[in-house]
């Protein structure tokens, strides 16, 4: 890092990401100190996606600034309203370890494959029927797509310092 600083180079711009969950939220100040010691350009604190959050979960941070969920009336719910739009499926795709293309990073288990690079080009997958159909279903009713129901779209997921 020191060499880049000595050269006064603006690239690469290095961001240290810290995923905040209840067991490590007490270490936020330590993470800031580490970022300073390492000389990174920025540190970003990311909220975690939690499965089965409705009845609480030991991973949900106590500090609501670092949580995607709100506690109200004895239950947890997403802070964001689930609107029928999402920029991700028009801006990026995710390639899994085996070359399967999925619509976004919330499809962690590749339940919604839209193609595979072993048999098709990225361009043909991007413009293909499976991807087009997925995008249309999202615009129709995002709440009916399992990977979208716990998505951070519309929720602040990054806290930078």
């Amino acid at each position: 890092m020191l060499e880049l600083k000595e050269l006064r180079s603006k690239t690469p711009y290095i961001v240290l990401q810290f995923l905040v969950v209840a067991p490590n939220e007490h270490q936020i100040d330590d993470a800031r100190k580490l970022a300073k010691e390492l000389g990174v350009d920025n540190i970003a604190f990311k909220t975690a996606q939690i499965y089965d959050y409705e009845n609480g979960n030991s991973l949900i941070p106590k500090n609501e600034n670092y949580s995607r969920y709100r506690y109200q009336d004895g239950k947890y719910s997403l802070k964001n309203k689930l609107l029928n739009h999402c920029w991700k499926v028009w801006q990026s795709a995710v390639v899994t370890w085996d070359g399967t293309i999925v619509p976004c990073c919330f499809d962690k288990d590749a339940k919604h494959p839209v193609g595979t690079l072993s048999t098709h080009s990225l361009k043909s997958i991007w413009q293909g029927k499976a991807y087009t159909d997925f995008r249309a279903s999202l615009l129709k009713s995002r709440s009916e797509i399992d990977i979208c129901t716990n998505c951070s779209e519309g929720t602040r997921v990054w806290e930078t310092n």
Side-chain angles (χ1 to χ4, degrees), residues 44-72:
F45 298 96
K46 187 174 184 189
T47 63
Q49 176 191 19
I50 309 291
Y51 295 113
D52 300 322
Y53 58 85
E54 293 88 358
N55 295 312
N57 187 298
S58 62
L59 294 175
I60 297 175
K62 305 297 181 251
N63 184 334
E64 260 200 44
N65 291 333
Y66 300 105
S67 177
R68 295 182 189 185
Y69 311 96
R70 174 181 300 113
Y71 185 74
Q72 187 175 2

mmCIF file of all heavy atoms in Angstrom, residues 44-72:
data_model
loop_
_atom_site.group_PDB
_atom_site.id
_atom_site.type_symbol
_atom_site.label_atom_id
_atom_site.label_comp_id
_atom_site.label_asym_id
_atom_site.label_seq_id
_atom_site.Cartn_x
_atom_site.Cartn_y
_atom_site.Cartn_z
ATOM 1 N N ALA A 44 -16.144 -0.117 4.319
ATOM 2 C CA ALA A 44 -17.595 -0.185 4.150
ATOM 3 C C ALA A 44 -18.139 -1.261 5.071
ATOM 4 O O ALA A 44 -17.636 -2.383 5.088
ATOM 5 C CB ALA A 44 -17.942 -0.501 2.700
ATOM 6 N N PHE A 45 -19.144 -0.899 5.817
ATOM 7 C CA PHE A 45 -19.811 -1.837 6.711
ATOM 8 C C PHE A 45 -21.093 -2.280 6.029
ATOM 9 O O PHE A 45 -21.955 -1.454 5.736
ATOM 10 C CB PHE A 45 -20.096 -1.180 8.066
ATOM 11 C CG PHE A 45 -18.839 -0.774 8.773
ATOM 12 C CD1 PHE A 45 -18.359 0.517 8.682
ATOM 13 C CD2 PHE A 45 -18.120 -1.702 9.503
ATOM 14 C CE1 PHE A 45 -17.186 0.892 9.313
ATOM 15 C CE2 PHE A 45 -16.938 -1.344 10.144
ATOM 16 C CZ PHE A 45 -16.474 -0.044 10.046
ATOM 17 N N LYS A 46 -21.205 -3.573 5.766
ATOM 18 C CA LYS A 46 -22.339 -4.100 5.016
ATOM 19 C C LYS A 46 -23.288 -4.837 5.944
ATOM 20 O O LYS A 46 -22.868 -5.597 6.802
ATOM 21 C CB LYS A 46 -21.864 -5.043 3.915
ATOM 22 C CG LYS A 46 -22.980 -5.487 2.992
ATOM 23 C CD LYS A 46 -22.465 -6.302 1.840
ATOM 24 C CE LYS A 46 -23.605 -6.639 0.899
ATOM 25 N NZ LYS A 46 -23.193 -7.596 -0.120
ATOM 26 N N THR A 47 -24.574 -4.608 5.726
ATOM 27 C CA THR A 47 -25.581 -5.350 6.471
ATOM 28 C C THR A 47 -25.688 -6.750 5.890
ATOM 29 O O THR A 47 -25.438 -6.974 4.708
ATOM 30 C CB THR A 47 -26.950 -4.653 6.397
ATOM 31 O OG1 THR A 47 -27.396 -4.636 5.046
ATOM 32 C CG2 THR A 47 -26.881 -3.239 6.954
ATOM 33 N N ALA A 48 -26.054 -7.704 6.721
ATOM 34 C CA ALA A 48 -26.099 -9.103 6.293
ATOM 35 C C ALA A 48 -27.506 -9.530 5.911
ATOM 36 O O ALA A 48 -28.484 -9.131 6.532
ATOM 37 C CB ALA A 48 -25.591 -10.003 7.419
ATOM 38 N N GLN A 49 -27.578 -10.366 4.889
ATOM 39 C CA GLN A 49 -28.832 -11.010 4.535
ATOM 40 C C GLN A 49 -28.986 -12.212 5.462
ATOM 41 O O GLN A 49 -28.100 -13.063 5.541
ATOM 42 C CB GLN A 49 -28.809 -11.478 3.082
ATOM 43 C CG GLN A 49 -30.053 -12.237 2.690
ATOM 44 C CD GLN A 49 -29.917 -12.925 1.345
ATOM 45 O OE1 GLN A 49 -28.807 -13.147 0.854
ATOM 46 N NE2 GLN A 49 -31.033 -13.285 0.753
ATOM 47 N N ILE A 50 -30.099 -12.275 6.160
ATOM 48 C CA ILE A 50 -30.357 -13.353 7.108
ATOM 49 C C ILE A 50 -31.539 -14.174 6.622
ATOM 50 O O ILE A 50 -32.575 -13.616 6.262
ATOM 51 C CB ILE A 50 -30.695 -12.788 8.519
ATOM 52 C CG1 ILE A 50 -29.657 -11.760 8.983
ATOM 53 C CG2 ILE A 50 -30.902 -13.903 9.524
ATOM 54 C CD1 ILE A 50 -28.302 -12.291 9.306
ATOM 55 N N TYR A 51 -31.394 -15.475 6.593
ATOM 56 C CA TYR A 51 -32.528 -16.344 6.283
ATOM 57 C C TYR A 51 -33.315 -16.560 7.568
ATOM 58 O O TYR A 51 -32.764 -16.537 8.663
ATOM 59 C CB TYR A 51 -32.047 -17.691 5.745
ATOM 60 C CG TYR A 51 -31.324 -17.584 4.418
ATOM 61 C CD1 TYR A 51 -29.971 -17.854 4.314
ATOM 62 C CD2 TYR A 51 -32.001 -17.193 3.268
ATOM 63 C CE1 TYR A 51 -29.307 -17.757 3.104
ATOM 64 C CE2 TYR A 51 -31.348 -17.089 2.046
ATOM 65 C CZ TYR A 51 -30.005 -17.371 1.969
ATOM 66 O OH TYR A 51 -29.351 -17.267 0.776
ATOM 67 N N ASP A 52 -34.597 -16.786 7.450
ATOM 68 C CA ASP A 52 -35.457 -17.053 8.614
ATOM 69 C C ASP A 52 -35.312 -15.964 9.670
ATOM 70 O O ASP A 52 -35.026 -16.226 10.826
ATOM 71 C CB ASP A 52 -35.148 -18.430 9.215
ATOM 72 C CG ASP A 52 -35.374 -19.552 8.223
ATOM 73 O OD1 ASP A 52 -36.350 -19.459 7.445
ATOM 74 O OD2 ASP A 52 -34.588 -20.501 8.214
ATOM 75 N N TYR A 53 -35.515 -14.743 9.274
ATOM 76 C CA TYR A 53 -35.343 -13.599 10.160
ATOM 77 C C TYR A 53 -36.608 -13.211 10.930
ATOM 78 O O TYR A 53 -36.537 -12.517 11.927
ATOM 79 C CB TYR A 53 -34.868 -12.382 9.358
ATOM 80 C CG TYR A 53 -35.812 -11.991 8.246
ATOM 81 C CD1 TYR A 53 -36.903 -11.170 8.491
ATOM 82 C CD2 TYR A 53 -35.622 -12.469 6.952
ATOM 83 C CE1 TYR A 53 -37.777 -10.831 7.474
ATOM 84 C CE2 TYR A 53 -36.495 -12.136 5.941
ATOM 85 C CZ TYR A 53 -37.570 -11.316 6.197
ATOM 86 O OH TYR A 53 -38.438 -10.990 5.186
ATOM 87 N N GLU A 54 -37.779 -13.674 10.477
ATOM 88 C CA GLU A 54 -39.055 -13.187 11.014
ATOM 89 C C GLU A 54 -39.169 -13.306 12.533
ATOM 90 O O GLU A 54 -39.679 -12.403 13.198
ATOM 91 C CB GLU A 54 -40.241 -13.923 10.358
ATOM 92 C CG GLU A 54 -40.422 -13.617 8.888
ATOM 93 C CD GLU A 54 -39.614 -14.536 7.980
ATOM 94 O OE1 GLU A 54 -38.863 -15.413 8.491
ATOM 95 O OE2 GLU A 54 -39.697 -14.370 6.749
ATOM 96 N N ASN A 55 -38.729 -14.412 13.096
ATOM 97 C CA ASN A 55 -38.821 -14.627 14.537
ATOM 98 C C ASN A 55 -37.533 -14.283 15.269
ATOM 99 O O ASN A 55 -37.343 -14.668 16.418
ATOM 100 C CB ASN A 55 -39.221 -16.078 14.833
ATOM 101 C CG ASN A 55 -40.623 -16.371 14.325
ATOM 102 O OD1 ASN A 55 -41.545 -15.601 14.568
ATOM 103 N ND2 ASN A 55 -40.778 -17.458 13.601
ATOM 104 N N GLY A 56 -36.668 -13.575 14.602
ATOM 105 C CA GLY A 56 -35.382 -13.221 15.189
ATOM 106 C C GLY A 56 -34.319 -14.222 14.786
ATOM 107 O O GLY A 56 -34.613 -15.322 14.329
ATOM 108 N N ASN A 57 -33.085 -13.809 14.914
ATOM 109 C CA ASN A 57 -31.965 -14.653 14.537
ATOM 110 C C ASN A 57 -30.747 -14.129 15.279
ATOM 111 O O ASN A 57 -30.572 -12.908 15.400
ATOM 112 C CB ASN A 57 -31.759 -14.587 13.022
ATOM 113 C CG ASN A 57 -30.722 -15.547 12.522
ATOM 114 O OD1 ASN A 57 -29.561 -15.458 12.894
ATOM 115 N ND2 ASN A 57 -31.125 -16.461 11.661
ATOM 116 N N SER A 58 -29.920 -15.019 15.746
ATOM 117 C CA SER A 58 -28.757 -14.611 16.537
ATOM 118 C C SER A 58 -27.743 -13.801 15.723
ATOM 119 O O SER A 58 -26.816 -13.228 16.290
ATOM 120 C CB SER A 58 -28.075 -15.837 17.148
ATOM 121 O OG SER A 58 -27.605 -16.690 16.117
ATOM 122 N N LEU A 59 -27.903 -13.729 14.412
ATOM 123 C CA LEU A 59 -26.989 -12.953 13.575
ATOM 124 C C LEU A 59 -27.442 -11.507 13.371
ATOM 125 O O LEU A 59 -26.657 -10.671 12.938
ATOM 126 C CB LEU A 59 -26.814 -13.623 12.215
ATOM 127 C CG LEU A 59 -26.112 -14.983 12.232
ATOM 128 C CD1 LEU A 59 -26.102 -15.597 10.840
ATOM 129 C CD2 LEU A 59 -24.701 -14.859 12.771
ATOM 130 N N ILE A 60 -28.698 -11.194 13.667
ATOM 131 C CA ILE A 60 -29.203 -9.837 13.453
ATOM 132 C C ILE A 60 -28.546 -8.885 14.458
ATOM 133 O O ILE A 60 -28.677 -9.075 15.665
ATOM 134 C CB ILE A 60 -30.738 -9.773 13.586
ATOM 135 C CG1 ILE A 60 -31.406 -10.640 12.506
ATOM 136 C CG2 ILE A 60 -31.235 -8.321 13.479
ATOM 137 C CD1 ILE A 60 -32.918 -10.742 12.633
ATOM 138 N N PRO A 61 -27.848 -7.857 13.956
ATOM 139 C CA PRO A 61 -27.188 -6.905 14.852
ATOM 140 C C PRO A 61 -28.200 -6.151 15.724
ATOM 141 O O PRO A 61 -29.338 -5.916 15.319
ATOM 142 C CB PRO A 61 -26.496 -5.927 13.898
ATOM 143 C CG PRO A 61 -26.382 -6.656 12.609
ATOM 144 C CD PRO A 61 -27.576 -7.555 12.546
ATOM 145 N N LYS A 62 -27.758 -5.782 16.907
ATOM 146 C CA LYS A 62 -28.598 -4.995 17.820
ATOM 147 C C LYS A 62 -28.726 -3.557 17.317
ATOM 148 O O LYS A 62 -29.766 -2.940 17.457
ATOM 149 C CB LYS A 62 -27.997 -4.983 19.235
ATOM 150 C CG LYS A 62 -27.735 -6.364 19.817
ATOM 151 C CD LYS A 62 -29.011 -7.172 19.997
ATOM 152 C CE LYS A 62 -28.713 -8.526 20.608
ATOM 153 N NZ LYS A 62 -28.876 -9.634 19.706
ATOM 154 N N ASN A 63 -27.659 -3.024 16.738
ATOM 155 C CA ASN A 63 -27.661 -1.672 16.202
ATOM 156 C C ASN A 63 -28.391 -1.681 14.853
ATOM 157 O O ASN A 63 -27.909 -2.261 13.887
ATOM 158 C CB ASN A 63 -26.225 -1.182 16.036
ATOM 159 C CG ASN A 63 -26.141 0.244 15.569
ATOM 160 O OD1 ASN A 63 -27.030 0.769 14.920
ATOM 161 N ND2 ASN A 63 -25.022 0.878 15.888
ATOM 162 N N GLU A 64 -29.549 -1.022 14.792
ATOM 163 C CA GLU A 64 -30.370 -1.040 13.580
ATOM 164 C C GLU A 64 -29.686 -0.412 12.379
ATOM 165 O O GLU A 64 -30.066 -0.682 11.245
ATOM 166 C CB GLU A 64 -31.722 -0.367 13.831
ATOM 167 C CG GLU A 64 -32.813 -1.369 14.064
ATOM 168 C CD GLU A 64 -34.207 -0.789 13.845
ATOM 169 O OE1 GLU A 64 -34.434 -0.072 12.858
ATOM 170 O OE2 GLU A 64 -35.048 -1.092 14.681
ATOM 171 N N ASN A 65 -28.672 0.418 12.605
ATOM 172 C CA ASN A 65 -27.939 0.995 11.478
ATOM 173 C C ASN A 65 -27.244 -0.080 10.655
ATOM 174 O O ASN A 65 -26.928 0.143 9.491
ATOM 175 C CB ASN A 65 -26.894 2.001 11.966
ATOM 176 C CG ASN A 65 -27.515 3.246 12.525
ATOM 177 O OD1 ASN A 65 -28.623 3.627 12.150
ATOM 178 N ND2 ASN A 65 -26.817 3.888 13.447
ATOM 179 N N TYR A 66 -26.974 -1.214 11.261
ATOM 180 C CA TYR A 66 -26.267 -2.292 10.578
ATOM 181 C C TYR A 66 -27.164 -3.498 10.336
ATOM 182 O O TYR A 66 -26.685 -4.614 10.181
ATOM 183 C CB TYR A 66 -25.031 -2.693 11.392
ATOM 184 C CG TYR A 66 -24.079 -1.545 11.579
ATOM 185 C CD1 TYR A 66 -23.966 -0.886 12.797
ATOM 186 C CD2 TYR A 66 -23.309 -1.075 10.516
ATOM 187 C CE1 TYR A 66 -23.106 0.189 12.965
ATOM 188 C CE2 TYR A 66 -22.446 -0.001 10.673
ATOM 189 C CZ TYR A 66 -22.356 0.623 11.894
ATOM 190 O OH TYR A 66 -21.507 1.684 12.035
ATOM 191 N N SER A 67 -28.461 -3.286 10.311
ATOM 192 C CA SER A 67 -29.412 -4.372 10.103
ATOM 193 C C SER A 67 -30.354 -4.034 8.957
ATOM 194 O O SER A 67 -30.777 -2.894 8.805
ATOM 195 C CB SER A 67 -30.228 -4.599 11.375
ATOM 196 O OG SER A 67 -31.195 -5.605 11.166
ATOM 197 N N ARG A 68 -30.689 -5.027 8.161
ATOM 198 C CA ARG A 68 -31.684 -4.860 7.099
ATOM 199 C C ARG A 68 -33.097 -5.055 7.630
ATOM 200 O O ARG A 68 -34.059 -4.927 6.903
ATOM 201 C CB ARG A 68 -31.457 -5.890 5.992
ATOM 202 C CG ARG A 68 -30.161 -5.711 5.274
ATOM 203 C CD ARG A 68 -30.010 -6.728 4.160
ATOM 204 N NE ARG A 68 -28.645 -6.651 3.651
ATOM 205 C CZ ARG A 68 -28.203 -7.327 2.621
ATOM 206 N NH1 ARG A 68 -28.998 -8.126 1.973
ATOM 207 N NH2 ARG A 68 -26.955 -7.197 2.238
ATOM 208 N N TYR A 69 -33.199 -5.368 8.927
ATOM 209 C CA TYR A 69 -34.480 -5.769 9.503
ATOM 210 C C TYR A 69 -34.894 -4.842 10.623
ATOM 211 O O TYR A 69 -34.073 -4.263 11.308
ATOM 212 C CB TYR A 69 -34.375 -7.215 9.999
ATOM 213 C CG TYR A 69 -33.776 -8.100 8.935
ATOM 214 C CD1 TYR A 69 -32.416 -8.390 8.938
ATOM 215 C CD2 TYR A 69 -34.553 -8.578 7.889
ATOM 216 C CE1 TYR A 69 -31.846 -9.150 7.932
ATOM 217 C CE2 TYR A 69 -33.991 -9.337 6.878
ATOM 218 C CZ TYR A 69 -32.640 -9.619 6.901
ATOM 219 O OH TYR A 69 -32.084 -10.356 5.898
ATOM 220 N N ARG A 70 -36.187 -4.731 10.791
ATOM 221 C CA ARG A 70 -36.767 -3.883 11.830
ATOM 222 C C ARG A 70 -37.620 -4.770 12.736
ATOM 223 O O ARG A 70 -38.384 -5.603 12.260
ATOM 224 C CB ARG A 70 -37.649 -2.822 11.171
ATOM 225 C CG ARG A 70 -38.441 -1.961 12.121
ATOM 226 C CD ARG A 70 -39.319 -0.952 11.394
ATOM 227 N NE ARG A 70 -38.503 -0.042 10.571
ATOM 228 C CZ ARG A 70 -38.534 -0.006 9.226
ATOM 229 N NH1 ARG A 70 -39.330 -0.799 8.556
ATOM 230 N NH2 ARG A 70 -37.776 0.831 8.563
ATOM 231 N N TYR A 71 -37.488 -4.569 14.047
ATOM 232 C CA TYR A 71 -38.277 -5.310 15.029
ATOM 233 C C TYR A 71 -39.509 -4.491 15.385
ATOM 234 O O TYR A 71 -39.403 -3.336 15.794
ATOM 235 C CB TYR A 71 -37.451 -5.591 16.284
ATOM 236 C CG TYR A 71 -38.169 -6.459 17.293
ATOM 237 C CD1 TYR A 71 -38.340 -7.812 17.067
ATOM 238 C CD2 TYR A 71 -38.673 -5.906 18.461
ATOM 239 C CE1 TYR A 71 -38.994 -8.606 17.981
ATOM 240 C CE2 TYR A 71 -39.324 -6.697 19.393
ATOM 241 C CZ TYR A 71 -39.485 -8.050 19.135
ATOM 242 O OH TYR A 71 -40.136 -8.837 20.043
ATOM 243 N N GLN A 72 -40.666 -5.104 15.204
ATOM 244 C CA GLN A 72 -41.913 -4.406 15.496
ATOM 245 C C GLN A 72 -43.004 -5.435 15.763
ATOM 246 O O GLN A 72 -43.146 -6.415 15.025
ATOM 247 C CB GLN A 72 -42.298 -3.534 14.301
ATOM 248 C CG GLN A 72 -43.474 -2.643 14.517
ATOM 249 C CD GLN A 72 -43.695 -1.732 13.308
ATOM 250 O OE1 GLN A 72 -43.000 -1.783 12.306
ATOM 251 N NE2 GLN A 72 -44.695 -0.886 13.415
#
